[in-house]
Coordinates of all heavy atoms in Angstrom, one line a residue:
Y273 N 3.8 11.7 7.7 CA 3.0 10.7 8.4 C 3.7 10.2 9.7 O 4.2 9.1 9.8 CB 2.7 9.5 7.5 CG 1.6 8.6 7.9 CD1 0.5 9.1 8.7 CD2 1.5 7.3 7.5 CE1 -0.6 8.2 9.0 CE2 0.5 6.4 7.8 CZ -0.6 6.9 8.6 OH -1.6 6.1 8.9
E274 N 3.8 11.1 10.7 CA 4.6 10.9 11.9 C 4.0 9.8 12.7 O 2.7 9.6 12.7 CB 4.8 12.1 12.7 CG 5.5 13.3 11.9 CD 4.6 14.5 11.8 OE1 3.4 14.4 12.0 OE2 5.2 15.6 11.6
R275 N 4.8 9.1 13.5 CA 4.3 8.0 14.3 C 4.4 8.3 15.8 O 3.6 7.9 16.6 CB 5.1 6.7 14.0 CG 4.8 5.6 14.9 CD 5.4 4.3 14.4 NE 5.0 3.2 15.4 CZ 5.1 1.9 15.0 NH1 5.5 1.6 13.9 NH2 4.8 1.0 15.9
T276 N 5.5 9.0 16.2 CA 5.7 9.3 17.6 C 6.0 10.7 17.8 O 6.4 11.5 16.9 CB 6.9 8.4 18.1 OG1 8.1 8.8 17.4 CG2 6.7 6.9 17.9
R277 N 5.9 11.1 19.1 CA 6.2 12.5 19.5 C 7.6 12.9 19.1 O 7.9 14.1 18.7 CB 5.9 12.7 21.0 CG 6.4 14.0 21.6 CD 5.6 15.2 20.9 NE 6.1 16.5 21.5 CZ 7.2 17.1 21.0 NH1 7.9 16.6 20.0 NH2 7.6 18.3 21.5
E278 N 8.5 12.0 19.3 CA 9.9 12.3 19.0 C 10.2 12.6 17.6 O 11.2 13.2 17.3 CB 10.9 11.2 19.5 CG 10.7 9.9 18.7 CD 11.6 8.8 19.2 OE1 12.4 9.0 20.1 OE2 11.4 7.6 18.8
Q279 N 9.3 12.3 16.7 CA 9.5 12.6 15.3 C 9.0 14.0 14.9 O 9.2 14.5 13.8 CB 8.7 11.6 14.4 CG 9.3 10.2 14.5 CD 8.5 9.2 13.6 OE1 7.3 9.4 13.4 NE2 9.2 8.1 13.2
V280 N 8.3 14.7 15.8 CA 7.7 16.0 15.5 C 8.6 17.1 16.2 O 8.8 17.0 17.4 CB 6.3 16.1 16.1 CG1 5.7 17.4 15.8 CG2 5.4 15.0 15.5
P281 N 9.1 18.1 15.4 CA 9.0 18.2 14.0 C 10.1 17.4 13.2 O 11.2 17.2 13.7 CB 9.1 19.7 13.7 CG 10.1 20.1 14.8 CD 9.8 19.2 16.0
L282 N 9.7 17.0 12.0 CA 10.7 16.3 11.2 C 11.6 17.3 10.4 O 12.7 16.9 10.1 CB 10.0 15.4 10.2 CG 9.5 14.0 10.7 CD1 8.6 13.3 9.7 CD2 10.7 13.1 11.0
V283 N 11.1 18.5 10.2 CA 11.9 19.5 9.6 C 11.8 20.8 10.4 O 10.9 21.0 11.2 CB 11.4 19.8 8.1 CG1 11.6 18.6 7.3 CG2 9.9 20.2 8.1
S284 N 12.8 21.6 10.3 CA 12.9 22.8 11.0 C 12.2 24.0 10.3 O 12.0 23.9 9.1 CB 14.3 23.2 11.4 OG 15.1 23.5 10.2
R285 N 12.0 25.1 11.0 CA 11.4 26.3 10.3 C 12.2 26.9 9.2 O 11.7 27.6 8.4 CB 11.0 27.3 11.4 CG 10.0 26.8 12.4 CD 9.7 27.9 13.5 NE 8.8 27.4 14.5 CZ 7.5 27.5 14.4 NH1 7.0 28.0 13.3 NH2 6.7 27.1 15.4

Side-chain angles (χ1 to χ4, degrees):
Y273 199 26
E274 300 121 338
R275 175 170 179 163
T276 62
R277 169 64 183 85
E278 66 183 348
Q279 292 179 336
V280 181
L282 279 170
V283 295
S284 65
R285 294 179 184 273

